[in-house]
Amino acid sequence: MKHMSKRISAIAVASLLATTALAGPEDGTLTVALSHPVEALDIYMGPGPEVAMTANAVFAPLVAYDSGTQSYVGVIAESWERVDDLTMEFRLRPDLVFQDGSVLDAEDVAYTINFITDPDTRFRLKSRFAAFSGAEVVDPLTVRVYTHEPFPMLLARMVGIPIYPSDSHSALGENYSEWGRAPIGSGPYRVTEFDESTGIVLERWDGYQLGPRPDFDRIVFRAVPDRQTQVAEMLAGNLDVIVASSPDQISTMEMMPGFEATVIPDMMVQYMYLDAANRSGVEVFRDQRVRRAVFHAIDREAIRTNIVSGGHAVPELLRLCLPYQVGCPDGGEPQSYDPELSRQLLAEAGYADGFDLQVSTWGPSRAITEAVVGYLRAVGIRASVDAMTLGAYRQKQVDGGLQALVSSYPYGGLPDTGVVVDFYFGSEDRDYFNDPRLQQLTVEANVSLDPDTRAALFREALDLVQEEAYILPLSSDPTVVIHTDAVSVNASPRGDVLFAQFSLFESFGEVPIILGWAD
């Protein structure tokens, strides 16, 4: 059998280098399972995990992020400089082309920015780009990007903006939502087959200019929604890679000869917060002692090592931010597991006999929530699981009905602590703390262009969260890739553009500077 190297990046930019893969190595094909069909390879129109998984191989952005140095590196952009508080100028690499042979220049960058900021362009999560006011061409290789106000996360947002060819994309007119069914990018793979029911076929683009060409000729994404069917297909030799869905699935596959599971740190975290603002009518959490009691009742270490898939292989989560995010302060001391102290605090606050509590959750956090509820019952709190769909959870959150919440968050893939504070304290929908100082710190940090000032503001904000027991960071939630033993995975901690947990194809070759993060 011909030995073939194959490298992929999964969330944290996992590189899959193989010699003799079990599924299709003879013809240079890597086969990967999709848990949900993809309607279009367009991260703007369909910002879902499976889209991120596939689109990252096809498109490239202006910049990437080096988590080791916590700095940005150029991809399409060769260099950049801030012109003023509202303007960033990018100089592009010369002689770039798209996969159809058309020139990639400043016009395409300006077109893409203006397309996503146009009020008439409608797509989910458009608020991610609300800070941008537009872009204009200076010359064929120079483009200026404008924001409404000083925006320190501009480069972080640029990591998640794939550039589209202006001629081909604009030709669709009002039918721009059709773009992702036959897209044209500048990444290392091009789409040759697309069927939202059966899957997607990508072929290596030999005209790729932004890094080493990947060794693997083809990537086949197969839609296999049922998890048991994924395992069966892998055992039959029809799949190379699946993303694990549970600790049980991991342990089952690891016991099978010829298969391995590799943990890849990423930007997904699990957390718990309490209604300190009394939006839900449960007044107990106005008392800091009660909030501390709840958090001291929870064994974070047991949850991380026994319930979170791959949690045993990642460090304790000490802050709401991750160490490689820009501005994330070091240190951090979450409330320790101390059920005796929890009972003591409850008694001091007048709740020696406990109280009733609904702990809301949705989707992937259900198992963690069940464990949390068990710990709370052990100290006398009459807790129950309030499991909902994503839509029902969001509506209840907006309506102010959450008494307590256990949930996950991928930080939008942004390598900047500004997105952390904005997520929790910058939105009325999600703010269950009503702390004016936290709100002020969030605003100041996300308009300041001075890194030292931002770092100080982030530290104060996250220290305050800890002191007041507003939010408990439970665990980072890594991706676990199940693969044949012919595949080796580089599990370097990095991140991803939008949906870290599912983005398998950010980087290729020995110098991975493509979509998302760089080595």
Side-chain angles (χ1 to χ4, degrees):
M1 183 177 292
K2 180 180 178 182
H3 286 230
M4 177 161 295
S5 170
K6 52 186 176 182
R7 181 182 177 105
I8 311 176
S9 164
I11 304 204
V13 188
S15 302
L16 306 182
L17 298 168
T19 52
T20 55
L22 298 184
E26 296 90 346
D27 62 356
T29 299
L30 177 76
T31 307
V32 182
L34 293 176
S35 295
H36 301 280
V38 171
E39 294 182 2
L41 254 68
D42 188 337
I43 202 66
Y44 304 123
M45 297 301 115
E50 309 293 343
V51 177
M53 177 188 286
T54 51
N56 284 0
V58 178
F59 302 104
L62 287 178
V63 299
Y65 183 71
D66 185 328
S67 60
T69 62
Q70 297 186 8
S71 63
Y72 295 91
V73 296
V75 182
I76 291 173
E78 185 174 65
S79 62
W80 52 88
E81 64 176 351
R82 183 165 288 283
V83 177
D84 56 43
D85 286 356
L86 305 182
T87 310
M88 185 78 82
E89 184 172 281
F90 293 88
R91 182 74 177 173
L92 310 187
R93 299 181 189 277
D95 303 320
L96 296 180
V97 296
F98 286 102
Q99 292 162 353
D100 63 352
S102 62
V103 173
L104 194 172
D105 60 17
E107 181 179 348
D108 302 295
V109 176
Y111 169 81
T112 302
I113 300 297
N114 291 329
F115 169 74
I116 62 177
T117 57
D118 186 336
D120 292 332
T121 303
R122 301 183 181 278
F123 56 89
R124 285 183 56 205
L125 303 183
K126 187 169 182 174
S127 60
R128 292 177 183 270
F129 311 105
F132 293 88
S133 62
E136 68 174 352
V137 174
V138 176
D139 62 46
L141 291 179
T142 309
V143 62
R144 287 187 172 182
V145 177
Y146 302 102
T147 58
H148 293 290
E149 60 183 4
F151 184 51
M153 291 190 289
L154 187 148
L155 288 175
R157 277 291 178 212
M158 281 297 179
V159 169
I161 298 180
I163 303 304
Y164 291 168
S166 55
D167 290 344
S168 300
H169 192 273
S170 64
L172 294 172
E174 295 181 355
N175 296 319
Y176 54 77
S177 62
E178 296 295 315
W179 168 254
R181 303 183 68 83
I184 299 167
S186 58
Y189 284 89
R190 61 188 182 90
V191 178
T192 58
E193 297 179 33
F194 183 94
D195 187 307
E196 63 183 80
S197 299
T198 59
I200 302 164
V201 177
L202 307 181
E203 291 187 359
R204 181 178 61 196
W205 177 44
D206 289 335
Y208 180 61
Q209 300 160 287
L210 298 172
R213 296 172 188 170
D215 292 330
F216 219 65
D217 297 331
R218 301 168 77 243
I219 303 175
V220 176
F221 292 95
R222 288 183 51 204
V224 188
D226 182 73
R227 298 291 187 176
Q228 291 182 338
T229 303
Q230 287 184 8
V231 172
E233 287 286 273
M234 201 162 195
L235 293 173
N238 298 325
L239 290 173
D240 287 311
V241 179
I242 63 176
V243 178
S245 60
S246 69
D248 288 344
Q249 187 187 51
I250 295 167
S251 60
T252 298
M253 292 302 295
E254 283 187 312
M255 289 189 294
M256 300 286 184
F259 300 96
E260 298 178 4
T262 300
V263 178
I264 306 162
D266 63 35
M267 297 185 72
M268 182 75 74
V269 300
Q270 298 284 344
Y271 65 91
M272 180 180 189
Y273 72 54
L274 307 172
D275 181 15
N278 192 29
R279 290 177 59 181
S280 65
V282 177
E283 297 188 359
V284 295
F285 295 132
R286 287 185 179 274
D287 192 324
Q288 182 208 47
R289 293 171 297 182
V290 180
R291 301 196 298 269
R292 289 173 55 207
V294 168
F295 291 165
H296 279 300
I298 298 169
D299 190 341
R300 298 166 61 250
E301 177 70 9
I303 288 174
R304 177 174 64 85
T305 57
N306 298 319
I307 299 177
V308 174
S309 296
H312 66 280
V314 295
E316 178 186 7
L317 184 63
L318 299 177
R319 297 277 197 186
L320 289 174
C321 57
L322 298 163
Y324 46 79
Q325 286 180 293
V326 171
C328 183
D330 57 9
E333 295 182 5
Q335 283 77 20
S336 61
Y337 176 52
D338 191 337
E340 189 58 39
L341 176 58
S342 176
R343 295 186 189 93
Q344 177 183 327
L345 289 168
L346 289 172
E348 290 177 3
Y351 297 100
D353 296 328
F355 53 88
D356 295 326
L357 179 65
Q358 276 193 344
V359 183
S360 298
T361 192
W362 65 279
S365 301
R366 173 69 182 264
I368 296 173
T369 307
E370 290 172 348
V372 165
V373 163
Y375 287 124
L376 297 184
R377 289 175 178 171
V379 297
I381 298 172
R382 296 179 295 279
S384 60
V385 176
D386 174 32
M388 296 174 286
T389 63
L390 174 59
Y393 143 68
R394 282 293 291 135
Q395 188 60 54
K396 192 168 187 176
Q397 185 178 53
V398 170
D399 293 341
L402 300 179
Q403 299 176 6
L405 173 71
V406 173
S407 187
S408 60
Y409 180 48
Y411 291 136
L414 288 189
D416 192 295
T417 306
V419 73
V420 177
V421 294
D422 186 64
F423 176 80
Y424 293 106
F425 316 118
S427 164
E428 291 184 5
D429 294 348
R430 288 186 291 268
D431 188 353
Y432 274 70
F433 321 101
N434 194 27
D435 189 313
R437 182 56 181 160
L438 277 177
Q439 296 166 356
Q440 180 184 6
L441 290 167
T442 297
V443 171
E444 291 179 4
N446 284 340
V447 297
S448 173
L449 299 177
D450 179 70
D452 293 336
T453 299
R454 296 186 79 220
L457 293 169
F458 291 143
R459 180 175 292 278
E460 182 179 348
L462 295 181
D463 283 348
L464 182 58
V465 169
Q466 180 178 291
E467 292 163 6
E468 290 295 331
Y470 287 139
I471 308 174
L472 182 67
L474 294 171
S475 177
S476 60
D477 194 351
T479 293
V480 181
V481 176
I482 299 175
H483 52 89
T484 70
D485 60 7
V487 174
S488 63
V489 176
N490 176 355
S492 304
R494 302 187 208 165
D496 177 46
V497 180
L498 292 177
F499 291 85
Q501 188 176 9
F502 299 91
S503 227
L504 285 164
F505 302 96
E506 296 169 358
S507 308
F508 306 82
E510 294 304 317
V511 185
I513 302 178
I514 309 234
L515 183 54
W517 296 45
D519 194 4

